[in-house]
Amino acid sequence: MANFRIGILGSGGIAHTMARTVAGMDNATVAAVGSRNLESARRFADEFGIERAFGSYEQLAQDESLDLIYIATPHSRHFEDCMLCIENGRNVLCEKAFTANAGQAEKVFAAAKKKGVLATEAIWTRYMPQRFVLDGILKSGVIGDISSLTADLGYSLMHIERLQKPQLAGGALLDLGVYAINFALMAFGSDIKETISCCTKNEYGVDRDNCIIFRYTDGKTAILHSSMAANLDRRGIIYGSRGRIEFENINNCEGITVILNDGSTQRYDTPKQITGYEYEVLSCMKAIEQGAGECSEMPHAESIKVMKIMDSLREQWGIKYPFE
Ligand SMILES: NC(=O)c1ccc[n+]([C@@H]2O[C@H](COP(=O)([O-])OP(=O)(O)OC[C@H]3O[C@@H](n4cnc5c(N)ncnc54)[C@H](OP(=O)(O)O)[C@@H]3O)[C@@H](O)[C@H]2O)c1
């Protein structure tokens, strides 16, 4: 597709990373940015040489020249920002967690289907090539009978307001736990028989740290941990009777190592990236070119499954956002 035009909605941290990513891609341009504040949009546009700067999300959503709008706002806003873009006929790539709850995700996908546009979740780990390398290793049977996995993700982020406040749909689960859950679903699927979990809350009542165990119908277990209070080691490890697979950094794979019980190892390096966010953009380009409403790497049903799991975990922990 020649010169694919992307609009970025929001001008915060990840919006900057996406603008840097697209600058390194062929056939794609960030053609517009929308911010709640025109000054902020102009600053962002100047920094990246972007053609159009809008002082409202509405104006960005109405820009018919855009092939895709990337939504980079706090979780609490994803629903209304997706709906705004979709109602204006735009294709959307919306940051994770896709929405604050499953009901909102279902409404967004229904609206996108009705309007005939693409809507997909920017959960970058689903689109990365290392995800498919892991699939191949699992299918090969090299580690024998697989029984369990562990995965964790955590950073010291207690100073970030977006993560602390319930009104912004904060908490470790929607921001970091979502990667651990996606890792488990990518490796073991979603036929989960029982979920055992607990969390420790921050002073505003959202989860600061959480521990989750999925017991699968086939007897496998997935043991997940996420935290916004500490840097965790970020590894995903899948255990089998003949060895284990170590996935370094479930947030952005830095390499996969298969370690067999006899001590032999095999390493799978990660291909060179721009930032790693290019894969989700490439997938959107392909889906739009094919007239598809969803990306095959992260179908709507998978986003809804993840949101339902997170809804039920929050229910177990007694966490409800004020707007729910
Ligand atoms: N995939 C990844 O690796 C990754 C990494 C980081 C974040 N994320 C996701 O990206 C999204 C944004 O995260 P971020 O770290 O970029 O957040 P951020 O730096 O706080 O930026 C969020 C932007 O959203 C807009 N916004 C609208 N309403 C807001 C409100 N009430 N409070 C604060 N900002 C508001 C602001 O842009 P304007 O002022 O221009 O309107 C703000 O700059 C989240 O969904 C997060 O989970 C993903």
Side-chain angles (χ1 to χ4, degrees):
M1 190 180 268
N3 199 24
F4 185 79
R5 291 170 63 84
I6 300 169
I8 297 186
L9 191 150
S11 62
I14 197 69
H16 278 79
T17 308
M18 181 54 89
R20 254 193 315 117
T21 307
V22 176
M25 294 178 70
D26 297 328
N27 306 329
T29 315
V30 177
V33 57
S35 169
R36 294 164 303 168
N37 173 318
L38 184 57
E39 260 322 291
S40 177
R42 285 201 175 128
R43 232 178 298 121
F44 192 96
D46 287 347
E47 186 178 342
F48 295 101
I50 296 168
E51 181 186 314
R52 299 176 187 187
F54 297 114
S56 77
Y57 297 160
E58 286 76 11
Q59 284 171 291
L60 178 80
Q62 286 160 8
D63 184 341
E64 291 187 353
S65 79
L66 300 175
D67 296 305
L68 178 73
I69 293 183
Y70 168 65
I71 295 173
T73 51
H75 310 144
S76 55
R77 286 201 59 110
H78 290 179
F79 174 69
E80 65 179 288
D81 295 336
C82 280
M83 292 303 263
L84 173 71
C85 295
I86 290 166
E87 277 157 13
N88 280 282
R90 305 284 86 79
N91 298 301
V92 293
L93 168 65
C94 177
E95 262 306 335
K96 47 47 75 171
F98 186 64
T99 45
N101 57 48
Q104 290 184 345
E106 284 167 340
K107 284 186 192 142
V108 169
F109 291 137
K113 200 168 175 192
K114 196 164 163 211
K115 203 79 183 174
V117 297
L118 173 84
T120 194
E121 180 178 354
I123 173 95
W124 63 333
T125 54
R126 288 269 184 167
Y127 303 84
M128 288 180 175
Q130 289 297 82
R131 176 225 167 146
F132 301 104
V133 173
L134 179 63
D135 281 351
I137 298 168
L138 289 170
K139 280 201 191 94
S140 75
V142 65
I143 62 165
D145 293 331
I146 295 172
S147 50
S148 62
L149 69 78
T150 58
D152 66 54
L153 190 65
Y155 301 99
S156 188
L157 298 172
M158 295 300 281
H159 56 289
I160 307 280
E161 194 198 357
R162 177 176 74 70
L163 296 177
Q164 304 307 318
K165 300 285 174 67
Q167 56 271 33
L168 295 175
L173 179 68
L174 264 66
D175 206 69
L176 304 162
V178 67
Y179 288 110
I181 292 170
N182 272 284
F183 184 79
L185 264 56
M186 284 189 277
F188 287 178
S190 56
D191 190 3
I192 298 165
K193 188 171 150 192
E194 186 189 5
T195 301
I196 303 157
S197 74
C198 66
C199 82
T200 301
K201 294 178 186 173
N202 72 357
E203 62 182 298
Y204 305 106
V206 294
D207 64 306
R208 186 195 71 188
D209 313 88
N210 64 64
C211 300
I212 304 161
I213 300 174
F214 294 152
R215 285 187 60 228
Y216 283 81
T217 303
D218 65 5
K220 291 193 189 80
T221 51
I223 302 145
L224 315 175
H225 173 207
S226 65
S227 172
M228 58 180 177
N231 290 343
L232 304 185
D233 83 4
R234 304 173 304 173
R235 271 190 307 176
I237 306 178
I238 300 167
Y239 297 92
S241 56
R242 290 208 295 269
R244 67 183 189 274
I245 304 165
E246 294 199 355
F247 194 94
E248 274 170 50
N249 189 359
I250 60 162
N251 189 10
N252 182 9
C253 184
E254 291 161 25
I256 301 172
T257 310
V258 176
I259 303 162
L260 296 183
N261 294 347
D262 65 9
S264 61
T265 63
Q266 172 139 22
R267 172 85 180 167
Y268 299 84
D269 289 326
T270 298
K272 194 169 161 13
Q273 305 175 333
I274 301 173
T275 58
Y277 296 98
E278 59 271 30
Y279 300 110
E280 62 197 28
V281 176
L282 288 168
S283 175
C284 289
M285 289 167 78
K286 192 170 128 208
I288 291 167
E289 202 165 41
Q290 293 172 345
E294 62 185 0
C295 290
S296 59
E297 294 88 343
M298 189 57 177
H300 293 174
E302 282 293 293
S303 290
I304 291 169
K305 247 180 233 166
V306 172
M307 289 311 313
K308 282 188 173 162
I309 289 170
M310 296 201 293
D311 284 359
S312 78
L313 287 163
R314 285 196 296 121
E315 202 179 325
Q316 285 183 18
W317 305 339
I319 297 175
K320 212 169 181 205
Y321 303 125
F323 51 85
E324 291 186 301

